[in-house]
């Protein structure tokens, strides 16, 4: 569905842009990871950009939640832009995510300056893009052409020569970025040898495409269709790309703040520093200036972003301890993450391994209500509760995977909108040495079907295939109440109408919950089925389950019905047909 365009940069535009950028990076994550060959071919640029943008978007949503939901209660632009920059800073991952955080910070410095309306038009956006490009380049110790820095500079240059509103300026910046991205293989030999464009630049193109969509309502598509390929850790990966968008302080170091991870065994081709060190740092400007000099002498790929006493530090070094000690001398480092690019089998948090033995296999599932959480947990799953209007972030899913404490994990998102979030969480867990299989379940009833055939004693691949088959053979539906007037596949609905959605699309619009649910069930069973699963929410009529059970028993021979209580799950009723 086309995005309703914003006409100028206000808090709502910031929120819209963050959401669209997160969605675009989610669609592009795996493809960007596949072309990641510089500065280290560790295949995580897309994931790092997604996680960074996710943190920015979550911070903006928190600001809106604090100001209420009505339009007249939206936060000031300065608050939203500042939250975007701060969220990206504290959530930045990897070289690419750290640079993206500085790009967003540079834009926020212009957008939030001198009151609410001074920098909200096309001219303000031009200045914001220029500040973003310049500040990102300044944050990198030794800027290299043919990277995301080149793409950001080209976007700012194209915007500088454009007059018009925010949509016109954003489109010019996007086109300039696309042209610069296409030129990156000619600027950087490692890209040319691999036959790919710069991964970080590709991610920035996706973010700028989301900016165009924010102000025009349409996702831009430019340029010819190009096929690129890259050989990553001896596995040939090919992907298609369009030039359009891709859908009280202490200086004492606490060892509990340190996370040591691993990457693939040949992540640093031709040598290079062995460790990636990232940490947040509370320090003043003068101390950071000295820190830059010291870290520059220790290694490469140095990026230090932030300001106002809080910084995000990223560097590749052979002596990880020295890099952390430099941070201790400068101020207070925390959230320290040390990744060994070629380590074979180290996954620890703190100084020692967890004392208890890992289980061989576990299932981690997102569930929409307390009732289903209990059901899943009885079946042995580790659950993440998704409250209505509060979908879990990838960090919550990663924490659940860690909590499951298993060598192999099957991840069930149970929501189509969580697919990209779950994919990013799975990638992060894999980087910690956990074997993760993501089954793209779109509803909790599909997850129930998958969990029903789960057998931990089987080989992992066989178990995943069986669970995937069971989920795929389960059609899903839900009955919910419309919150507002809108267009649907079944016509126009009004606020308060009862909607029956089958496989994600509105199929029935009614006035009565039971009547609508029965109509939905008849549509689903018309194609056959052997088992009906009903999951009742707290607000569903108490009689609806009994009425539907009787209807199935009298109208459909040899079809069984099972009923669960879901609790506060958002929808009045979830339906599954196997």
């Amino acid at each position: 569905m086309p995005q309703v365009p914003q006409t100028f940069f206000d808090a709502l535009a910031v929120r819209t842009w963050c959401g669209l950028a997160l969605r675009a990076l989610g669609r592009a994550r795996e493809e960007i990871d596949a072309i990641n060959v510089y500065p280290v071919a560790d295949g995580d640029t897309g994931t790092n950009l997604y996680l960074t943008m996710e943190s920015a978007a979550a911070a903006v949503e928190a600001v809106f939640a604090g100001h209420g939901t009505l339009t007249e209660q939206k936060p000031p632009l300065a608050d939203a832009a500042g939250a975007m920059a701060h969220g990206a800073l504290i959530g930045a991952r990897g070289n690419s995510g750290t640079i993206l955080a500085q790009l967003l910070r540079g834009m926020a410095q212009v957008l939030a300056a001198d009151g609410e309306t001074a920098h909200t038009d096309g001219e303000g956006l031009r200045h914001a893009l220029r500040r973003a490009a310049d500040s990102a380049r300044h944050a990198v110790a030794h800027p290299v052409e043919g990277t995301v820095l080149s793409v950001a500079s080209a976007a700012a240059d194209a915007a500088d020569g454009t007059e018009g509103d925010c949509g016109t300026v954003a489109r010019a910046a996007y086109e300039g970025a696309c042209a610069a991205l296409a030129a990156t293989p000619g600027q950087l030999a490692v890209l040319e040898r691999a036959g790919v464009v710069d991964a970080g630049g590709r991610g920035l193109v996706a973010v700028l495409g989301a900016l165009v969509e924010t102000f025009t309502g349409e996702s831009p598509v430019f340029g010819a269709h190009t096929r690129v390929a890259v050989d990553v850790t001896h596995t040939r990966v090919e992907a298609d790309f369009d030039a359009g968008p891709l859908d009280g302080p202490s200086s004492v170091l606490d060892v509990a703040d340190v996370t040591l991870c691993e990457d693939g065994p040949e992540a640093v081709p031709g040598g290079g520093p062995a460790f990636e060190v990232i940490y947040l740092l509370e320090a003043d400007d003068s101390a950071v200036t000295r820190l830059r000099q010291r870290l520059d002498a220790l290694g490469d790929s140095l990026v230090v972003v932030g300001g106002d006493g809080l910084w995000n530090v990223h560097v590749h070094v052979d002596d990880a301890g020295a890099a952390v000690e430099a941070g201790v001398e400068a101020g207070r480092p925390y959230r320290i993450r040390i990744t060994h690019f070629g380590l074979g089998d180290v996954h620890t948090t703190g100084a020692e391994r967890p004392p208890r033995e890992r289980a061989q296999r576990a299932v981690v599932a997102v569930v929409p209500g307390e009732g289903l959480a209990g059901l899943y947990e009885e079946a042995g799953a580790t659950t993440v509760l998704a409250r209505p209007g509060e979908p879990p972030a990838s960090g919550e899913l990663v924490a659940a995977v860690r909590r499951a404490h298993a060598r192999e994990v099957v991840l069930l998102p149970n929501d189509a909108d969580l697919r990209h979030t779950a994919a990013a969480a799975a990638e992060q867990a894999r980087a910690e040495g956990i074997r993760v299989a993501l089954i793209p379940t779109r509803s909790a009833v599909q997850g129930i079907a998958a969990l029903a055939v789960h057998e931990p004693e089987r080989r992992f691949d066989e178990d995943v295939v069986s669970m995937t088959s069971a989920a795929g053979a389960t059609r899903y539906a839900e009955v919910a109440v419309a919150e507002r007037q809108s267009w649907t596949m079944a016509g126009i609905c009004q606020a308060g109408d009862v909607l029956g959605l089958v496989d994600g699309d509105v199929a029935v619009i009614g006035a009565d919950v039971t009547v609508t649910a029965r109509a939905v069930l008849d549509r689903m069973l018309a194609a056959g089925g052997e088992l009906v699963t009903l999951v009742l929410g707290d607000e569903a009529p108490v009689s609806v389950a009994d009425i539907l059970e009787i209807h199935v028993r009298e109208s459909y021979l040899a079809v069984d019905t099972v009923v669960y209580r879901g609790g506060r799950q958002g929808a009045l009723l979830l339906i599954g047909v196997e």
Side-chain angles (χ1 to χ4, degrees), residues 81-142:
M84 174 184 70
H86 182 75
L89 177 67
I90 64 174
R93 297 290 298 270
N95 187 75
S96 55
T98 307
I99 294 175
L100 176 61
Q102 189 68 359
L103 288 166
L104 296 180
R105 178 179 173 83
M107 293 192 69
Q109 287 173 335
V110 173
L111 296 173
D114 300 328
E116 174 70 20
T117 61
H119 298 286
T120 62
D121 56 5
E123 181 181 1
L125 180 55
R126 289 200 305 272
H127 291 316
L129 290 166
R130 172 52 61 194
R131 176 72 68 84
D134 292 346
S135 62
R137 188 171 288 269
H138 177 72
V140 178
H142 301 285

Side-chain angles (χ1 to χ4, degrees), residues 80-226:
M84 174 184 70
H86 182 75
L89 177 67
I90 64 174
R93 297 290 298 270
N95 187 75
S96 55
T98 307
I99 294 175
L100 176 61
Q102 189 68 359
L103 288 166
L104 296 180
R105 178 179 173 83
M107 293 192 69
Q109 287 173 335
V110 173
L111 296 173
D114 300 328
E116 174 70 20
T117 61
H119 298 286
T120 62
D121 56 5
E123 181 181 1
L125 180 55
R126 289 200 305 272
H127 291 316
L129 290 166
R130 172 52 61 194
R131 176 72 68 84
D134 292 346
S135 62
R137 188 171 288 269
H138 177 72
V140 178
H142 301 285
V144 175
E145 298 307 321
T147 65
V148 62
L149 299 177
S150 302
V151 177
S153 294
D157 290 344
D160 282 342
T162 303
E163 298 292 334
D165 58 14
C166 287
T168 303
V169 173
R171 191 177 293 276
Y174 175 78
E175 292 177 345
C178 286
L181 179 66
T184 56
Q187 297 173 290
L188 202 54
V190 66
L191 300 179
E192 186 175 27
R193 286 194 301 269
V196 299
V197 296
D198 178 66
R202 188 57 182 151
L204 180 57
V205 164
V207 172
L208 291 174
L211 186 64
V212 175
E213 188 173 359
T214 297
F215 290 113
T216 68
E218 297 180 355
S219 183
V221 178
F222 296 110
H225 189 68
T226 310

Side-chain angles (χ1 to χ4, degrees), residues 265-528:
E266 296 188 36
V268 192
F275 296 95
E276 177 185 59
V277 179
I278 305 173
Y279 50 80
L280 292 177
L281 177 69
E282 294 177 354
D284 57 37
D285 291 1
S286 60
V288 170
T289 300
R290 295 191 298 271
L291 175 65
R292 289 179 191 268
Q293 296 171 348
R294 180 167 178 184
L295 292 179
D296 191 26
L298 286 174
D300 59 28
S301 298
L302 174 60
V303 185
V304 181
V305 304
D308 302 320
L310 181 63
W311 309 81
N312 192 303
V313 179
H314 170 280
V315 66
H316 293 174
V317 294
D318 281 320
D319 190 343
V324 175
E325 288 172 5
V328 173
E329 293 180 5
R332 176 181 175 262
Y334 61 103
R335 290 195 188 177
I336 302 164
R337 184 178 178 88
I338 302 172
T339 301
H340 194 311
F341 290 123
L343 194 59
D345 186 26
V346 176
H347 315 287
T348 62
T349 300
E352 300 178 356
R353 290 181 178 274
R356 64 188 177 97
E357 184 66 22
R358 287 184 180 273
Q360 182 60 34
R361 189 174 309 159
V363 176
V364 173
V366 180
V367 291
E370 296 86 350
L372 278 183
L375 175 66
Y376 272 76
E377 288 165 1
E378 286 177 9
T382 298
T383 61
V384 179
L385 190 62
R387 296 175 178 82
E390 299 179 21
S394 61
E396 293 178 71
L397 301 188
V398 173
V401 171
R402 292 172 181 153
R403 193 167 67 248
H405 202 62
R407 299 180 182 90
E408 302 166 338
V409 172
V410 180
L411 182 57
L412 306 174
N414 291 340
D415 187 336
D417 292 336
L418 286 178
R419 179 166 59 93
H420 299 310
T421 299
E427 192 67 27
Q428 185 174 354
R430 292 184 189 117
E432 298 177 11
I434 304 169
R435 190 179 184 190
V436 181
L438 171 60
I439 299 178
T441 48
R442 296 171 175 265
S443 170
V445 293
Q446 289 187 322
I448 292 172
L451 198 57
V453 300
H454 169 55
E455 292 186 13
E457 303 307 316
R458 276 193 299 223
R459 290 178 56 243
F460 186 61
D461 293 341
E462 292 176 355
D463 197 28
V464 171
V465 169
S466 178
M467 294 176 73
T468 302
S469 178
T474 303
R475 299 190 68 197
Y476 64 95
E478 68 177 74
V479 177
V481 177
E483 297 180 356
R484 64 184 66 85
Q485 182 187 58
S486 62
W487 292 88
T488 75
M489 297 289 289
I492 302 176
C493 72
Q494 306 294 328
D497 283 348
V498 180
L499 306 180
L501 296 87
V502 178
D503 294 339
D505 293 322
V506 176
V508 180
I509 300 175
D512 180 81
V513 174
T514 302
V515 173
T516 302
R518 188 164 52 198
V520 169
L521 198 50
D522 286 338
R523 282 178 177 250
M524 299 177 74
L525 288 171

